[in-house]
Amino acid sequence: MKRPVMVGLLVSLLGISALLYPLVSSGQGQADLAPWLMALLVPLSLLLLATELSQHAIDGRSLALLGLLAACGAALRIPSPGVAGIEPVFFLLVVAGAVFGSGFGFALGALTLLVSAFFTGGIGPWLPFQMLAAAWLGAGAGMFAKFAKTSRIMLAIYTAIACMFYGAVMNLWFWPYGAGSSTTLSYLPGGGVSTNLHRFVIFDLTTSMGFDLPRAFLNALLISTVGIPLIATLRRFHRRAEFAGPRAAAASALVSE
Amino acid sequence: MIIFDRVSIAYDPSSPIVRDLSLEICEGECFVLAGPTGSGKSTLLRAINGLVPRFSGGILEGSVSVHGRSTAQYGPESFADLVGYVGQDPTASFVTERVEDELAYVMENLGFAPSTMRRRVEEVLDLLDLHRLRHRPLTTLSLGERQRVAIGAVLTAAPPVLVLDEPTSALDPMAAEEVLAAISRLVHDLGITVVLAEHRLDRVLPIADRIGVIHPEDASLRVALPSEITLDPRVSPPLTELARKLKWSRIPLTVREGRRASGLERAELVGKLPPEEATKPSKFVARVENVRLHYGSLQALRGVNLSVGAGEIVALMGRNGAGKSSLLALLAGLKSPSSGAVSVAGLEPTAMKARERIGAVGLVPQNPTTLLYASTVEEECSSADLEHGLAAGSTSQLLGELLEGIELEAHPRDLSEGQRLVLALAVVLGPQPDLIALDEPTRGLDYEAKRHLAKVLARLRDQGCGILVATHDVELVAQIADRTVVLAEGEVVAEGQTRAVLAQSPSSTTQVGKVFYPDAWLTVDEVVAALEHLRTEP
Amino acid sequence: MRLRIHEQIHPLAWWLWAACIASMALITSNPLVLIGLGLVAATVGLLRQSEGGVSAALGSFLMIGIWVVGIRVAFQVIFGVRLPGHVLFSLPELQLPSWAAGVSLGGPVTAEALIAAAIAGCKLGVALIAFGAANALASPRDLMRILPQSLASLSVAVSVALAFVPELLLAIREQREARLLRGRPVRGLSGWRAMLVPVIEGSLRSASALSASMVSRGFGAAGAASNRLSLPFLTLGLSGLGLATAGAYLLAYPSLPLALAISLIVTGFAAIAAVLVGGSRKVLRTRYRPLHFGRNSWAVLISGLGVSAGLLIAQSITPDLLAWNPYTWTMPAVSWLCFASMLMGLSALLWSPLPSAMGERRLPIEEYVGSAR
C-alpha cells in the first residue's frame, strides 16, 4: 500500500478514536483529561500527514488545483460560517473526489475547511474535526465513484448521506461539550456502548436536525443540478493534465483515476 | 546561450507549430517573437525552459538547451536559476499575498541564504521601481504594477535569460511604456538575454536586436533584423506600413527616424488636410447627463456628460481606472448611477426588462469569453437565436458576415482572441440593439484582426447603429471613431471630433500623427491617399 | 524610560500563552477565576491584535461561547439529572419510552443545577475566548509563516487558496454581469448554477497557469528524493501518535498507575514534535524572513506559564479554590495569588508591540476593481 494512504488511514483511525472516546470510556480515573489530549493529538497527526504528503513529491499541478478548488470551497462557505450552518460546499467536495480520486478528495476536504477558517473567524477547537470529517466525505466520494455509477440520483443520494454523516460526526464531537455530564442525554461514563449510542442518537436528533437536514437537502439539490456538467468539466481538465507528459502524471501521488 | 537544434513542436501531429527549427539566441540579445494570433508564440517560449513538453504537453522533437542545460534532461523546475519565465497573466501566477514575499518565492525554492535573499529583493525593488509597493497586498496593485512584480518575481534568482509572453498586451499605453522601459534597462544595463513575444511591434522594435516571425502556413520561423523586416501586414506597425507604401529605402523603427525619413512628404502635405464637416446625428441613442458613480469611498465618475448618436462611432479613451468601464456598465444597465440620468433609446437601462434591454444596448465586455456558454460555436449561435427570438441560423449567418473561417464545431475557448470577440459581437448583435458598446476590444488582437474589427464597426455604423468603444488603442480610434471623449479620474477632460482631440499633443496621437506633428494626420491610408491625389494632379 | 517594542512576537508564543489560559479555564469551576481568565484573554487580545489578525475573531468566538452557555443551561433545564437543592421552578415531567433511551424530561429545576450548568458552559466559553484571543494575536496567516519547511507544500496550497478567493469573487461578479448582458436570469437556483460551471472552469485554467508559474520558479527543484521523510522518521512519528493515544485511553483505568499513562503521553508528544521539527533538516528550501523566538516571545510565554503556575500553587495552598462546587452553596474562594496570576497574564501586554499604525486596510472588492481594471 502506498505510504501516504497508510498514514492517512492511521490518522483517520486516531480521529475516530478521539470521537468515539465518550462512547467507550469508563469514566473513571483521569478520564476527563483524555478528550483534551485527543483534541491536541488530532491536529498534530494532521500535520504529520501533511508532512508525509508534502515530501511525497506532490506535483505542482495537483497542488495548484488543490489550492484553487479549496478557494472555491472556502468562498462557498463564506456566507454561512460557524459551527453549524447551511454550507453549500460539500457538493463540490463530492464532485472533486469523484473525478480525482479518494486521495485528492481527502486532501481537498481537509484543505477547504482549513482555508475557510481564515475567512470565517479563525481556528477553533472544532477545526481539526471538521477537517477530518470533510476529508472523509471527499475520500468516500472517490470510493463511491469507483464502485457506483455517477448518475444524478446516485450522486444526490451519496451527497445527502455524506452530509448527514458530517453532521453526525461534528455532533459527536460536540456532545460532551453541549450536554455535559449531568443530563439524561449526556454520555454515561461506564455506561457501555449501546446505552451511550442510544443517548447520542437522541441528542443528535434533538440538536442538529435543524441544520443537518437543510444542509443535506441543499447539497443534494446542487449536485443533482450542477453535478454532471461539473464532473464533465473536471474530467476534461484531468484528461488533458494526464496527457501532459509522463512526469507530470506519474509523479502525482494524489491524482488517481 | 539558447540553442534550438532542429526542433519541431506540435500538439496535433498534423498541424505542427514549427518544423525543423534551428536557432541560436546569443547572450545579451533581445529577441522578439512575432506572429499572428494563435501561431504558437507561447508554445515556443515555453519550450525554452522546458514547460513544453514536460508540463504543458505536446510533442517536441530535437533539442532545446540553455547555457548547455538541455530541456530533455531536466524538468522546468531545474531551470529556475537559468530562465525567468513570465506568463501572460501575471495575476494567475501569484503564489503569495504580498509583493515582497512574491519576489522572494523563487529564492526560497532554490535554497538561497536569507541574507542573499534580502539583498536581492532590495535590488529588484529598485530595478523595477517597486519599493513603494513592497508591503502591499498583491490584490491592490494595478495591472502594470502586477506585471512588474511578476517580472521581479523571476529576476530575484538572477537568471541570465528572461522569457516574457506578451508582457504589455493587457496594459494601457502608460503602463506598457513603464514595463518596456524596465525591460530595456534590463537588456542594456544588465545584459540579460530577453526573449519576448509581442503583438504591438511598434512598442518593441526600438529595443529588439532580432525579430523572429512565425509563419503558420509552413510552420517556419523567419528571422530578420528590425530594419530589414519586410513584414506580413498582419504584424507590421503603422510606421512600417507607411514606409512600405511610400517605398522608402530604409524602414524607420522609431518616430524620430520616421520624422527624418518623411521630410519630403511632410513638406508636401502641409496644410493639405481635408476639411471635416462635423455631422450632427439625427437622433441620440444614448445619453448620459451629469452622472456620478461611487463604489464605497471611491469616486468612479464625477459629473460626466456624454451622448452617442445613431450612425456615429464614439471612442472613449483614458487610462485604466479612469472610469470607462464604469460608464459602459451604466449604459448597459449593470449598475445604477449614484446621481444623474442615463438613457438608452429614450429609457433608463436599469428600468428595462431583460428582453427590452438587450434590444436597446449590447455590450461586449473586456473579457468577451464570459458571454460564451456553449461548447461549440454552432450551439452558441443557435441558443442565441432561440433567446432573441430570431429565425434559426440568423446568428451564424451574421457571424459569417462578420468574419469568415470560423469553424462551427470548434469550442469557443479554442478560438483565437479575435475570433472570440467577433463571436461575442455576433451574439450581442442578434436583437439588433440601438447602441453597441465595446470594452477594450483590441486586447490581444494583432494588427490584421484590428483592421478587420474596424471594418466591421464601420459597416455597423453605416447601418445606423450608435457605437461606443472604450479603448486606449489610438490606432483603432483614429481608424474608425467620429468623435472622441477622453476620461481621466472620472471626469471628461477632452471631447470633440477625433482628429482635433487626438492631434492636441504629440503624445496622444497615433504613430503617423507623431511623425507628421503638428499636422493632424492620423492614419497611413489617408496620408497615402492624399499624396497620391497631390501627385497625380497636374 | 519609554519601552517601545518593535520585535514581533512569535506566533507560537501567543498560542502557548492562550493555551495556558484555556487549560486553566477548563480545569477550574470557580466563577471568579473564570471571569478573571476571560478578562485577561479578552484584554490582551483586543489591545495587541496583529496586523493580519482575523477581524472580529474575538467577537465571533465570544458569541459562540455565549451560545454554548445557553445550550448547556437549556439542556440542564430540560434534560437535567435531578439532584436535591434550592428549587427555583418546576417543569412538567415526562418520561420518554425506552426506544427513546428512557430519557426523562422536565422536573424541578434547582438553582445549583442552573449555576453548575452555567459554570460548565463558561469553562468552555472562556477557553473559546482564549482561542479567539490567540486568533487575534497570531492569526492563521501568521501561523503559516512558522510552518516548518517540510510543510512547504501545505503553506503554498494555503497561500494560493487565500490569494485566489478575492479573484474568485471578482470572477463571480464578471459572470453575473455577463449573464445580465445576455439577458439571462441571475437570481435563484438556475442563475446560480449557470454561473458556477464557468467560474470553476476559470479556476481550472488559472490552476494551469499558476502551476506553470510555480514550477518555472523552482517548485520541487530541491528534488523529491532528498526531501522524503525517511522511513525511520515516519515510524517514529506514527509510534508517537500511537503511544500518546494509548496513554490517553489508559487515563481511564485507575487501576493502572497514572505515571504509566503520563509517561506514554509525554513520550508520544515528544516523538511527534521531533519528527515535525527534524523532518525539515534535509529540506533544501529556505525562508525569506524567518521569525525568531526572541526574548519578548519568551517573556510572553513565561507570563502565560505564570498564570498556570500561580493558579496551581494557589490551589495547593487553598484547597477547593479551583474546584468550587455550587452544591455546597458557599461563596467561591479567591486568594491574592489568583489575582497575581491574572496580572502575570496581563503582563504580556508589556512585552508585545502595539498594533502597527501601518496596518494594511483591506480594500473592499469594488476598490480593487476601480484601481486595477
Side-chain angles (χ1 to χ4, degrees), chain B residues 1-5 22-27 29 31 210:
Chain B
M1 186 68 155
I2 304 174
I3 299 179
F4 285 77
D5 185 21
S22 288
L23 171 70
E24 182 177 341
I25 300 178
C26 315
E27 197 174 334
E29 181 177 354
F31 189 92
R210 281 192 294 166

Side-chain angles (χ1 to χ4, degrees), chain C residues 74-92:
Chain C
F75 261 83
Q76 183 64 35
V77 165
I78 301 175
F79 294 104
V81 169
R82 307 299 166 198
L83 293 176
H86 300 77
V87 178
L88 290 175
F89 58 90
S90 235
L91 289 178

Side-chain angles (χ1 to χ4, degrees), chain B residues 46 49 51 55 76-77 80 85 91-98 100-102 104-109 111-112 114 117-118 121 134-135 137 139-143 146 153-154 295 297-298 320-321 332 334-335 354 357-358 363 365 367 370-371 373 380 383-384 387 413 427, chain C residues 51 141 149 156 159-160 162-163 166-167 173-184 194-195 198 201-202 205-206 208-222 284-290 358 360-364 366-373:
Chain B
R46 288 162 90 106
N49 79 332
L51 281 175
F55 199 80
E77 55 280 333
Y85 172 81
T91 312
S93 72
F94 289 152
V95 174
T96 62
E97 288 183 89
R98 286 184 187 237
E100 256 192 286
D101 297 328
E102 192 68 30
Y105 179 71
V106 65
M107 296 188 287
E108 286 181 335
N109 282 335
F112 284 21
M117 289 200 269
R118 298 290 300 271
V121 165
R134 67 187 299 162
H135 294 297
T139 38
T140 59
L141 299 180
S142 70
L143 282 176
R146 286 184 206 197
V154 300
Y295 302 113
S297 56
L298 187 73
N320 280 356
L334 296 175
K335 292 196 170 56
R357 199 180 55 228
I358 58 179
L363 169 64
N367 185 6
T370 54
L371 286 183
Y373 292 101
E380 196 72 56
S383 68
E387 273 180 4
R413 291 205 187 276
V427 164
Chain C
E51 258 182 62
R141 277 183 171 84
Q149 287 292 34
V156 166
S159 275
V160 158
L162 292 177
E167 293 300 322
R173 233 192 42 170
E174 253 186 15
Q175 276 301 319
R176 190 179 158 274
E177 288 183 354
R179 281 186 72 78
L180 281 173
L181 291 175
R182 283 293 293 262
R184 290 182 181 181
M195 288 197 284
E201 275 188 324
R205 263 169 300 129
S206 294
S208 292
L210 178 64
S211 51
S213 149
M214 279 163 48
V215 165
S216 304
R217 286 188 281 162
F219 177 79
L284 295 177
R285 216 172 173 273
T286 46
R287 209 190 295 273
Y288 174 54
R289 279 190 191 269
M358 215 179 67
E360 296 297 336
R361 192 174 64 91
R362 296 221 162 255
L363 301 175
E366 316 296 36
E367 301 197 19
Y368 299 158
V369 175
S371 64
R373 302 284 184 215

Side-chain angles (χ1 to χ4, degrees), chain B residues 116-191:
Chain B
T116 317
M117 289 200 269
R118 298 290 300 271
R119 197 169 33 88
R120 287 269 175 81
V121 165
E122 300 301 321
E123 285 169 9
V124 170
L125 285 174
D126 280 334
L127 199 58
L128 295 172
D129 196 23
L130 290 170
H131 45 87
R132 278 170 301 116
L133 308 171
R134 67 187 299 162
H135 294 297
R136 293 263 294 269
L138 291 166
T139 38
T140 59
L141 299 180
S142 70
L143 282 176
E145 289 161 348
R146 286 184 206 197
Q147 188 64 269
R148 277 185 286 146
V149 171
I151 295 177
V154 300
L155 270 187
T156 42
V161 176
L162 193 60
V163 173
L164 301 151
D165 197 349
E166 308 233 2
T168 64
S169 62
L171 307 179
D172 62 41
M174 285 297 125
E177 278 305 310
E178 281 170 12
V179 170
L180 285 169
I183 296 175
S184 176
R185 255 203 309 275
L186 294 174
V187 172
H188 291 126
D189 293 345
L190 297 181

Side-chain angles (χ1 to χ4, degrees), chain C residues 183-215:
Chain C
R184 290 182 181 181
V186 285
R187 289 190 206 283
L189 199 61
S190 64
W192 221 77
R193 70 181 168 100
M195 288 197 284
L196 201 59
V197 174
V199 167
I200 302 271
E201 275 188 324
S203 322
L204 294 178
R205 263 169 300 129
S206 294
S208 292
L210 178 64
S211 51
S213 149
M214 279 163 48
V215 165

